[in-house]
Amino acid sequence: MDYFIELFFSGLTRGSIYALIALGYTMVYGIIGLINFAHGEIYMIGAFTALIVSTVLTIYGFPLLAVIVLTALAAVIWAASYGYTIERLAYRPLRSAPRLSPLISAIGMSIFLQNYVLLAQTSDFQPFPALIPEFDFMEPYAHIVGSSDLAILVVSAIVMILLTFMIKFTRTGKAMRATAQDRKMAMLVGINVDNVISITFITGSALAAIGGLLIASHIGQINFYIGFIAGIKAFTAAVLGGIGSIPGAVLGSFILGLTEAFATGYVSSDYEDVFAFSLLVLILIFKPAGLLGKATVEKV
Amino acid sequence: MLSFKDFRNGLMVTLWFVFLTFPLLVIKINPIEKSVVWRWHNMLYVACGTFVFYVLSRLYLARKKEQQQKIKTGIVEDKVAWSAKLFSEPKFYIPIAVAGCLFALAFPTLFSTYQVNIMITALMYVVLGLGLNIVVGVAGLLDLGYVAFYAVGAYAYALLNMHFGLGFWTVLPIGGLLGALFGILLGFPVLRLRGDYLAIVTLGFGEIIRLILENWGEFSQGPSGISNIARPGLFGIDLSLEMSINFMYYLTILMVIFTIFVVNRLQDSRIGRAWFALREDEIACQAMGIDKMKTKLTAFALGATWAGMAGVMFAAKTTFVNPASFTFLESAIILCIVVLGGMGSIPGVIVGALVLILLPEYLRAFSDYRMLVFGAILVIMMIFRPQGIISTVRRTYSLKD
Amino acid sequence: MEPILDVKNLTMDFGGIRALDHLSLQIKPGEIVALIGPNGAGKTTFFNCITGIYKPTKGDLLLNPPGKKTKKLNGLKPNKVTEQGLARTFQNIRLFPNMTVLENVMIGRHCRTKSKIFGAIFRDPRTKKEEKEIVEQSLEILKKINLDKMADEYAKNLPYGAQRRLEIARALATEPIVLLLDEPAAGMNPQETQELDELITKIRDEGLAILLIEHDMKLVMNISDHIFVVDYGKKIAEGSPEEIGKNPDVIKAYLGEDI
Ligand SMILES: Nc1ncnc2c1ncn2[C@@H]1O[C@H](COP(=O)(O)OP(=O)(O)OP(=O)(O)O)[C@@H](O)[C@H]1O
Ligand SMILES: [Mg+2]
């Protein structure tokens, strides 16, 4: 039973990380209909920035709390800046181009960023400091759920609630939803669509950075390649839930996280990635609209 | 040309990039020794590079806009690019083709075995590029798992050779057929999907194949791969290593010629036109009576056939295969060849493959930056020159005959 | 006379919106039938439903090719519908912009020709003959609509009116028995519209039945044999041009638009 609960929590942890990344995919897709291939790299860059900043701050003797806060801030700021820049540079000029063009550009961006980090830093795995401390009150349960699991769950829950709030109730959120529904119409009623798109990228990137920071601190090591696999898995989750749908992305992420946790725990961990990829292929073939997505008819 | 405002913007962009690249490019940490190196010189490079690139791209875009304005108002004719002209008029391309063939034939006698080996690799990418060109360039199906079919061919030869002693010539068509089979099996369910989903599913499929090869040791010998694969035979004659490499070279040349011949004829046919129309507008295509699924499937399967055959040749050339040769990056390289050369353009793809494969080989200093540059090429080409270095020109049918 | 195309109770729902509501329509051989109605009435949706691009929620589509058995078109894929003899043009022009004018028409010949991959690679005499015929027939059609001089031009470089005519040529190349035109005169100047009028009449005289969506009332009144009026997806009137011109319901539906 303990094992089951342990797997359950590890599934939830995975799920929340996937959700933090999947939200970015789904928001961007909802608004400009593009699979932002480079999104996984944003997550990786978030994690790397966190590693660099936290190491520097620790070396210069900052107290732990300051290190945590500043590191999180830096990761979010830089990841968001990368997200913003990528959109401006690689996607915006292609808004009216054939559909494949921005996608190819996104793939190029993803490869570029991976190799940029590889060259700028290193190709080896880097140890990542455990930023999340062990909580004393968690000690009795440490064998089934770790402190960092708990922290990840709590932080992602808070972030997701904030995001929902922003999208539901703020002006920006309303503008986002309007743009997602009909870009031309939104433009006609005076919404600055360019800004909305930029904000979407910034928000999505910030979420991914938080995910990157949390998971890196949880697992304890990172390299330039972590974004690729995590990106595809999060994308799978987004598609599973119904791409374009925000609750769908969260639901899909938890389903993927839990199934992965149980499959690797009870079956075999060799085929962990095969499993996720196969799931992706199967959903797209049998239910491309996803669990919460709506099937639409292209207007002719 | 460039106004003061452009320069001011250029400075802002430069500052932005200095900020953006600061943590990753300037700071270098060693988390184990807990030490930091500050690489301020990188900041300088970024600043200069950004500014220069910004100014150049401004100039380019301004010129392009001006040109388009002129064409619109009828001041100048919309002229066919010189590169496209070069390859669409027989009086230009025939001499080029002849010279190219002669050089290719004489290559092994002029250069060392080492060079010949590199050339074989480049030519294989020409074949792969031309194969993917049918799928991506002509039919407009973004296939990111192309390398999976390449792996199918390579492992087909490796395994059939190891277990049953089958030779190169027997397995070459088998590899092609297996590629086609996998292409149809995957394509059948997947080609109904929209373009971007297709891209991601094929990517997933490519990774699945690689992961299976890596993990299913009894079948594929896992990550260590299969070695001692037989080189192609020539009527049972014993060839020295050098001679067999030269032989492989000529085989690859033959394959390239064969591929060009087939792809060229396909493009210029009823099927080829349908592929191209499908890329232009799927709905109009269906409304004109073209069976979307069938047409896509033929393109997809044909591309896979070529990848399968190229895979067999790859295994025969290296005499060793392992899953590491078939990563997503390989698919990305082939895609980059097609995009750089010009989607749908045969001479473009050839030039693209030669440039992208040979340059990093000869500019060793540059080879670390290879993938970085490939990624950048995909972005830059899409933005500045989506038609590639050599764009296609549609064939015209003269009214005389 | 038996209708050549018989549409019964066609209904189409998009989510909660009913774009077509039990719409029935018949076209007799050799007739020009017009389908008119205010913007958003569901005319284009009607075309999309009968050509298989949308799957209608309800309704029957029957085609009676002259001298052949009645065919049910329900549920057929768009390409199969075209093979059966229904060809269409699009309201928002959908040519193949980066192919030449001639090639655009040649694509129309696709469903009436056969050569496969084998033929493409080996270019056997049959394939060669077929290719030659495709080119000749396509040029023939281009001559008919007066675009043969532009055969080698890219479709995207044609003026707007010529693009609309090229769409008609491309549809004709599929050898239809019913031709569906979605606002062919949109964006044309009076002279071009006049030429279009003549062209449509000429095509009708060659024996095709034509279903026409059009907002240009002068053109509609001038050439139609029969007119159907839809509003909010429902048929509100049908009859000869004179009858429709006098119908109070039609005038009400069009209030504000000149008729
Ligand atoms: N794919 C679709 N999804 C959702 N709604 C649609 C779709 N296609 C059409 N509609 C809706 O169906 C209704 C009818 O549209 P349709 O394009 O058929 O009108 P129309 O009569 O052709 O108008 P117009 O004269 O402006 O061309 C409209 O309200 C439109 O928004
Ligand atoms: Mg309409």
Side-chain angles (χ1 to χ4, degrees), chain B residues 133-262:
Chain B
N133 181 42
I134 301 178
V135 188
V136 179
V138 182
L141 307 167
L142 189 51
D143 178 358
L144 297 180
Y146 196 60
V147 80
F149 308 115
Y150 189 41
V152 165
Y155 270 86
Y157 184 40
L159 290 170
L160 289 173
N161 186 260
M162 183 172 75
H163 293 303
F164 306 105
L166 293 188
F168 174 79
W169 292 106
T170 329
V171 184
L172 188 63
I174 297 179
L177 283 178
L178 277 175
L181 185 70
F182 272 77
I184 291 170
L185 282 180
L186 175 70
F188 204 71
V190 152
L191 287 170
R192 274 179 306 143
L193 298 172
R194 259 209 326 263
D196 39 9
Y197 278 11
L198 176 73
I200 211 110
V201 173
T202 46
L203 168 69
F205 174 74
E207 288 296 291
I208 291 174
I209 294 274
R210 185 180 61 80
L211 288 166
I212 289 177
L213 290 174
E214 224 156 66
N215 288 309
W216 190 9
E218 303 92 74
F219 172 71
S220 65
Q221 305 197 356
S224 54
I226 299 170
S227 47
N228 287 326
I229 303 167
R231 289 173 192 279
L234 177 64
F235 307 117
I237 304 169
D238 262 338
L239 294 173
S240 70
L241 184 65
E242 195 194 325
M243 271 170 71
S244 68
I245 286 174
N246 285 351
F247 179 53
M248 191 68 218
Y249 172 83
Y250 286 114
L251 271 182
T252 319
I253 291 273
L254 266 183
M255 186 70 187
V256 169
I257 294 173
F258 173 64
T259 310
I260 294 174
F261 174 80
V262 171

Side-chain angles (χ1 to χ4, degrees), chain A residues 29 35 59 78 81-82 85 89 94 99-100 105 108 111-112 115-116 120-121 126 232 243 270 274 277 284, chain B residues 16 19-21 24 27-28 31 34 36 39 140 193-194 196-197 201 211 215 332 371-372 375 379 382-383:
Chain A
Y29 196 92
I35 298 177
I59 290 172
W78 260 286
S81 308
Y82 272 92
T85 312
L89 222 60
L94 297 173
R99 216 182 150 91
L100 281 191
S105 183
I111 297 171
F112 179 85
N115 287 277
Y116 158 68
Q121 295 290 319
Q126 296 274 39
I232 293 187
I243 194 139
D270 280 357
V274 175
F277 289 133
L284 281 178
Chain B
W16 175 252
F19 159 76
L20 199 64
T21 52
L24 281 162
I27 309 175
K28 167 98 184 158
K34 298 257 174 262
V36 194
R39 300 169 295 181
L193 298 172
R194 259 209 326 263
D196 39 9
Y197 278 11
V201 173
L211 288 166
N215 288 309
M371 286 317 295
L372 186 82
V379 180
M382 280 303 118
I383 291 169

Side-chain angles (χ1 to χ4, degrees), chain C residues 128-191:
Chain C
K128 271 193 192 150
K129 183 159 159 274
E130 194 182 84
E131 275 287 308
K132 199 163 153 244
E133 279 168 9
I134 294 177
V135 176
E136 283 167 3
Q137 289 158 339
S138 303
L139 278 171
E140 198 63 34
I141 296 169
L142 280 180
K143 270 211 194 85
K144 188 149 74 186
I145 59 154
N146 234 334
L147 277 178
D148 50 328
K149 304 261 168 1
M150 308 263 227
D152 291 339
E153 201 68 53
Y154 282 84
K156 63 179 174 196
N157 294 340
L158 289 189
Y160 197 72
Q163 293 199 3
R164 289 231 172 263
R165 275 186 295 147
L166 179 55
E167 276 227 345
I168 299 179
R170 192 177 64 173
L172 284 177
T174 66
E175 294 175 20
I177 47 182
V178 182
L179 182 63
L180 311 172
L181 304 174
D182 197 344
E183 303 198 15
M188 286 188 169
N189 61 33
Q191 200 215 322

Side-chain angles (χ1 to χ4, degrees), chain B residues 128 149-151 153-155 157 306-316 321 326:
Chain B
L128 284 168
F149 308 115
Y150 189 41
Y155 270 86
Y157 184 40
W306 250 263
M309 290 198 287
V312 175
M313 300 197 63
F314 171 76
V321 292
F326 307 104

Side-chain angles (χ1 to χ4, degrees), chain A residues 76-152:
Chain A
V76 166
I77 289 173
W78 260 286
S81 308
Y82 272 92
Y84 168 79
T85 312
I86 289 171
E87 193 271 326
R88 284 298 294 264
L89 222 60
Y91 306 151
R92 190 170 295 187
L94 297 173
R95 279 234 192 108
S96 54
R99 216 182 150 91
L100 281 191
S101 304
L103 192 60
I104 293 177
S105 183
I107 294 163
M109 217 9 136
S110 156
I111 297 171
F112 179 85
L113 289 176
Q114 267 177 36
N115 287 277
Y116 158 68
V117 174
L118 172 120
L119 292 166
Q121 295 290 319
T122 166
S123 62
D124 303 328
F125 266 99
Q126 296 274 39
F128 196 96
L131 290 177
I132 308 170
E134 292 294 328
F135 306 122
D136 293 338
F137 64 87
M138 284 298 291
E139 208 158 309
Y141 317 103
H143 60 293
I144 40 175
V145 49
S147 294
S148 61
D149 288 289
L150 187 75
I152 290 178

